[in-house]
């Protein structure tokens, strides 16, 4: 589709290519990956009519549910859905209304989980400094997520940077009191040979989950 010798952003505003990409979403002979590629191309457009069209197809029974979910996610991720919006979408033959706030929260959770998985993968492969940097940047982006503080604190604990690790565990508890943070803080105190008064029965139940 992108055969013309022009920047992709310019191609995305070509009326012919936009129309072709939009109607490709309904073609049965195209794979899901091809449709997603065309959808990403459409996200580069500056034409509000494109996004109104995409919003409208969310209730079209001719489109598979997975594609409609992906369209909804892309619209939200690219700033075309606000928290106050109410969007209708038909899934499994039933039309429901969901708020932009719900959609954006779900996207945020997915992004945070992806960051955590990436950080843990780096840590497990021995790339500790890269994992530390990733979690520090993630905290800047999502400062109210206790899981990010816990993962960074455990890296610092591994590097024997106990004072900062302690502050991070406590910060995670300030955001949301939870047994995992308490148990990890307890483990840190034990590692530092300090008396700990935070070990609770709730935390003990989570012992298997300690990093």
């Amino acid at each position: 589709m992108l055969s013309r010798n022009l920047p992709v952003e310019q191609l995305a505003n070509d009326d012919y290519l936009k129309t072709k990409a939009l109607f490709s979403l309904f073609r049965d002979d195209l794979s899901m990956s091809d449709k997603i590629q065309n959808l990403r191309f459409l996200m580069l457009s500056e034409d509000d009519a494109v996004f109104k069209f995409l919003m409208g197809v969310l209730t079209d029974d001719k489109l598979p549910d997975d594609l409609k979910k992906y369209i909804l996610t892309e619209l939200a991720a690219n700033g075309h859905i606000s928290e106050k919006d109410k969007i209708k979408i038909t899934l499994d033959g039933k039309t429901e209304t969901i708020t932009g706030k719900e959609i954006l929260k779900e996207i945020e959770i997915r992004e945070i989980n992806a960051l955590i998985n990436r950080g843990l993968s780096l840590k497990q492969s021995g790339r500790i400094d890269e994992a530390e940097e990733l979690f520090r940047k993630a905290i800047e982006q999502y400062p109210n997520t206790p899981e990010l503080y816990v993962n960074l604190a455990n890296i610092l604990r591994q590097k024997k940077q106990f004072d900062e690790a302690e502050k991070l565990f406590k910060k995670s508890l300030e955001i949301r009191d939870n047994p995992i943070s308490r148990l990890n803080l307890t483990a840190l105190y034990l590692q530092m040979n300090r008396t700990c008064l935070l070990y609770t029965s709730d935390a003990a139940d989570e012992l298997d989950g300690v990093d």
Side-chain angles (χ1 to χ4, degrees):
M1 184 179 68
L2 306 181
S3 59
R4 302 184 188 182
N5 189 23
L6 291 171
V8 67
E9 292 83 2
Q10 188 171 342
L11 288 171
N13 288 290
D14 180 290
D15 288 340
Y16 170 74
L17 292 178
K18 281 189 296 185
T19 302
K20 187 175 180 181
L22 285 169
F23 283 97
S24 74
L25 301 176
F26 292 88
R27 286 177 53 182
D28 294 333
D29 59 326
L30 285 185
S31 66
M32 183 69 168
S33 61
D34 286 336
K35 292 179 180 181
I36 287 174
Q37 182 180 352
N38 288 341
L39 181 61
R40 288 174 178 168
F41 167 72
L42 288 166
M43 287 298 122
L44 298 172
S45 173
E46 299 173 355
D47 189 348
D48 287 341
V50 168
F51 305 114
K52 289 180 180 178
F53 179 90
L54 291 172
M55 201 75 76
V57 302
L58 295 175
T59 55
D60 196 317
D61 288 330
K62 298 184 185 70
L63 285 186
D65 288 353
D66 287 345
L67 182 57
K68 284 186 280 192
K69 290 177 184 177
Y70 195 89
I71 290 172
L72 184 61
T73 300
E74 284 294 300
L75 286 169
N78 284 276
H80 300 292
I81 292 176
S82 69
E83 286 192 357
K84 295 180 180 179
D85 288 336
K86 293 182 179 180
I87 300 97
K88 289 186 177 181
I89 184 169
T90 301
L91 301 172
D92 295 325
K94 297 180 181 179
T95 300
E96 58 182 293
T97 300
I98 53 178
T99 65
K101 185 175 182 179
E102 291 174 306
I103 300 164
L104 293 170
K105 185 61 179 178
E106 184 177 340
I107 291 173
E108 180 180 298
I109 291 171
R110 289 179 187 175
E111 290 175 348
I112 290 171
N113 287 338
L115 287 169
I116 290 173
N117 290 336
R118 174 61 177 159
L120 291 176
S121 178
L122 288 170
K123 179 184 175 184
Q124 290 165 4
S125 63
R127 297 158 67 181
I128 303 298
D129 291 340
E130 291 179 57
E132 178 183 345
E133 182 181 3
L134 183 148
F135 282 120
R136 288 191 186 280
K137 289 181 177 179
I139 286 172
E140 291 179 4
Q141 188 175 1
Y142 302 106
N144 295 316
T145 306
E147 293 83 1
L148 295 174
Y149 291 89
V150 169
N151 278 286
L152 177 57
N154 277 322
I155 288 173
L156 297 177
R157 198 177 107 199
Q158 184 175 334
K159 297 174 77 172
K160 299 190 182 339
Q161 296 178 21
F162 298 136
D163 289 343
E164 187 178 1
E166 179 184 14
K167 290 178 183 177
L168 290 166
F169 283 134
K170 287 182 176 180
K171 179 63 178 178
S172 74
L173 286 166
E174 287 176 13
I175 297 170
R176 186 175 69 244
D177 195 347
N178 63 90
I180 290 293
S181 293
R182 285 185 170 275
L183 186 55
N184 276 278
L185 183 55
T186 298
L188 172 66
Y189 285 150
L190 292 173
Q191 190 174 357
M192 297 167 67
N193 295 318
R194 287 174 49 175
T195 303
C196 174
L197 300 178
L198 291 172
Y199 197 91
T200 67
S201 58
D202 284 343
D205 291 338
E206 300 293 337
L207 185 58
D208 292 339
V210 181
D211 185 1

